[in-house]
Amino acid sequence: MRARFPGLPRSLRNRLFLILFAGLTSTQVLAFAVMLLERDESARAVMLTTLQRDVAVAVALLDRLPPTERPAWVPLLDRPTYRFDLGAGSPGEAPLSPRLQVIADEIRTALAPRFPVRFDAVPGEPPRLQGHVVLSDGTALTLAVRPAARPLASWLPVALVVQLVGLIGCVWLAVRLAVRPLTRFAEAADRLEPGRPADRFAEGGPEEVARAARALNAMQARIARHLDERVRILAAISHDLQTPITRMRLRVETGVEGPEQERLLGDLDGIEALVREGIAYARSVHGDVEPPARLDLRAFIESLVFDYQDTGRDVAISCLPDVTMATRPQALRRILTNLIDNALRYAGRAELRVERVEGGIAISVLDRGPGLPADMLDAVLLPFVRLEESRSRDTGGTGLGLAIAAQLAAAIGGRLTLANRDGGGLQATVTLT
């Protein structure tokens, strides 16, 4: 549609308004033109009929009057569009315009056959028609016709403006009523996110909107069931793996010591880490089970950073305003811990920055590590997604740390985004509303 009609607006609201307004305005203009045409035809028919009768009566009257009385009667026979003169009249031109020819034919019909008429046109704006008649006694009589434009009522432009304003108002109201449910539907679909509680869409309004609302609510329920089922399976598998892993560890530890035993223990450590992260990811879906609490964010961040510094980790704070907000502390701690651990693993240093942004608070964890390819910034927030180079299982990653952080952020009403920093490094930002 955009390629075929580049002038159309992008929004459905504006397109509907433009189409309806153009269609109704065109119809209104056409109806007005037809009305004017019909009015013109009716007025012309009435005018010509009246002209025939008046001219016939006037000429017959002047013909019967004595020549001495005619000058006194001529002014009495004048009309707004024509008048009589005793004499030959003004010099004129023989060719007549189509409009003057119609009037001439009507006058000729009214006076024929008793009074033959000769017509000519007097140049001017507008041009005048002259009809030359010779009365019974040989007196020359000139009928001067000045066609007048049909007057336009003074109230008509006001009525047209009122109609146009009413038309715009009706079109705007119709478009608003048609598009508002779609806008609400789109907003509800935008709020739909796995791991975040979704409000049911009101199943009211027109039948089509109610049907779409029921479909959206049913889809939300199916997604929630599917997500819950997936999480339960993952949690069950991860939990059930712990027992055989423990038995394997006991057998390896009681076996023959040596390089082979160390390799097996290392593999078991990796499997146990993966199982723990799997359970943590499964639990992160239900991060809303923790009750929210008022939190002094400054003290909370400082406590978290001091814990890392006490263990010799290079974690610093670059910006930390005084902020108090309602959130879920344990979920937020797990989010920031995962992000800080991720930064320490790949850059050796992490920097925290807290800022007020429009609509909430942004907590950023920055590093100067290798960063991420631009096409992987969203993909690494999915579970078990790892890069093949530095961010791989060999460096300790399980592919679940960022996924857990992203899912917990969604569960507490926030959002986690990743961006590469100018000069190298990664910036992970948790935005809380």
Side-chain angles (χ1 to χ4, degrees):
M1 179 67 75
R2 189 68 176 173
R4 292 178 59 189
F5 304 101
L8 279 179
R10 294 187 63 87
S11 69
L12 178 61
R13 180 192 302 272
N14 292 337
R15 287 187 180 187
L16 284 177
F17 183 87
L18 179 63
I19 293 172
L20 289 176
F21 181 73
L24 292 177
T25 303
S26 301
T27 304
Q28 188 75 4
V29 170
L30 180 60
F32 182 71
V34 171
M35 181 190 70
L36 284 182
L37 180 61
E38 193 277 336
R39 176 177 175 269
D40 184 72
E41 294 291 338
S42 300
R44 182 186 304 179
V46 172
M47 180 194 72
L48 292 178
T49 301
T50 304
L51 179 65
Q52 272 189 348
R53 183 176 62 252
D54 289 352
V55 168
V57 172
V59 172
L61 176 64
L62 292 174
D63 184 63
R64 289 181 178 273
L65 288 173
T68 56
E69 296 182 10
R70 288 172 182 167
W73 278 87
V74 166
L76 300 177
L77 299 176
D78 288 348
R79 296 291 184 270
T81 56
Y82 66 88
R83 63 184 178 84
F84 290 94
D85 292 321
L86 294 173
S90 303
E93 301 175 350
L96 302 180
S97 67
R99 183 181 182 189
L100 295 181
Q101 186 63 52
V102 171
I103 299 175
D105 292 341
E106 294 294 331
I107 295 174
R108 183 179 286 112
T109 301
L111 298 179
R114 182 178 177 184
F115 299 101
V117 189
R118 179 179 58 83
F119 293 97
D120 56 23
V122 178
E125 188 58 40
R128 290 182 295 136
L129 175 67
Q130 287 189 143
H132 304 281
V133 181
V134 178
L135 300 179
S136 300
D137 60 357
T139 302
L141 178 66
T142 300
L143 172 61
V145 180
R146 182 186 296 273
R150 280 159 293 281
L152 188 67
S154 59
W155 54 264
L156 189 57
V158 178
L160 291 177
V161 171
V162 171
Q163 282 184 328
L164 184 61
V165 172
L167 181 64
I168 293 175
C170 291
V171 171
W172 176 83
L173 180 61
V175 171
R176 184 172 182 269
L177 292 177
V179 175
R180 184 171 59 180
L182 295 178
T183 303
R184 291 176 24 238
F185 189 83
E187 292 172 351
D190 287 338
R191 292 193 299 268
L192 179 60
E193 186 172 339
R196 177 179 294 182
D199 298 329
R200 287 181 60 83
F201 191 76
E203 299 178 1
E207 180 181 352
E208 294 80 4
V209 176
R211 181 178 178 184
R214 289 192 295 269
L216 177 64
N217 291 333
M219 182 181 66
Q220 289 180 346
R222 288 195 299 270
I223 292 175
R225 287 195 301 269
H226 172 73
L227 181 61
D228 187 65
E229 181 182 357
R230 184 194 66 173
V231 168
R232 290 179 184 277
I233 292 174
L234 177 60
I237 293 175
S238 300
H239 182 271
D240 292 343
L241 282 175
Q242 288 182 320
T243 300
I245 290 174
T246 302
R247 289 199 298 265
M248 292 172 63
R249 175 178 292 279
L250 290 174
R251 291 173 182 173
V252 171
E253 288 177 349
T254 57
V256 180
E257 297 182 358
E260 187 67 25
Q261 183 188 49
E262 294 178 0
R263 285 195 295 270
L264 289 173
L265 290 175
D267 291 339
L268 289 174
D269 289 339
I271 295 174
E272 283 184 328
L274 182 60
V275 169
R276 286 195 301 270
E277 291 296 305
I279 295 175
Y281 177 74
R283 290 174 177 171
S284 67
V285 178
H286 304 286
D288 57 340
V289 296
E290 179 191 0
R294 298 291 297 178
L295 182 67
D296 184 345
L297 194 59
R298 181 183 184 91
F300 179 83
I301 297 293
E302 287 179 341
S303 173
L304 181 63
V305 171
F306 291 159
D307 289 342
Y308 276 97
Q309 292 176 350
D310 289 343
T311 60
R313 306 289 188 90
D314 191 357
V315 180
I317 303 173
S318 62
C319 180
L320 186 58
D322 289 322
V323 178
T324 301
M325 62 182 304
T327 187
R328 298 182 173 91
Q330 295 303 319
L332 181 59
R333 177 178 292 273
R334 181 59 188 268
I335 294 169
L336 297 180
T337 299
N338 282 16
L339 297 179
I340 294 173
D341 289 345
N342 192 71
L344 292 174
R345 182 179 299 118
Y346 304 115
R349 185 178 188 275
E351 178 182 334
L352 272 73
R353 184 173 64 199
V354 180
E355 298 174 298
R356 298 180 185 271
V357 296
E358 184 178 356
I361 300 295
I363 307 173
S364 300
V365 178
L366 306 95
D367 66 52
R368 286 297 182 184
L372 289 169
D375 59 347
M376 294 294 292
L377 289 173
D378 293 329
V380 294
L381 297 180
L382 300 175
F384 302 109
V385 174
R386 297 180 298 271
L387 299 184
E388 294 299 329
E389 298 178 0
S390 61
R391 295 180 187 262
S392 64
R393 184 176 296 179
D394 295 336
T395 60
T398 62
L400 285 172
L402 291 176
I404 293 172
Q407 195 150 253
L408 279 175
I412 64 175
R415 183 178 299 274
L416 172 62
T417 56
L418 303 179
N420 287 314
R421 302 178 64 189
D422 294 335
L426 189 69
Q427 175 175 338
T429 302
V430 181
T431 304
L432 302 175
T433 56

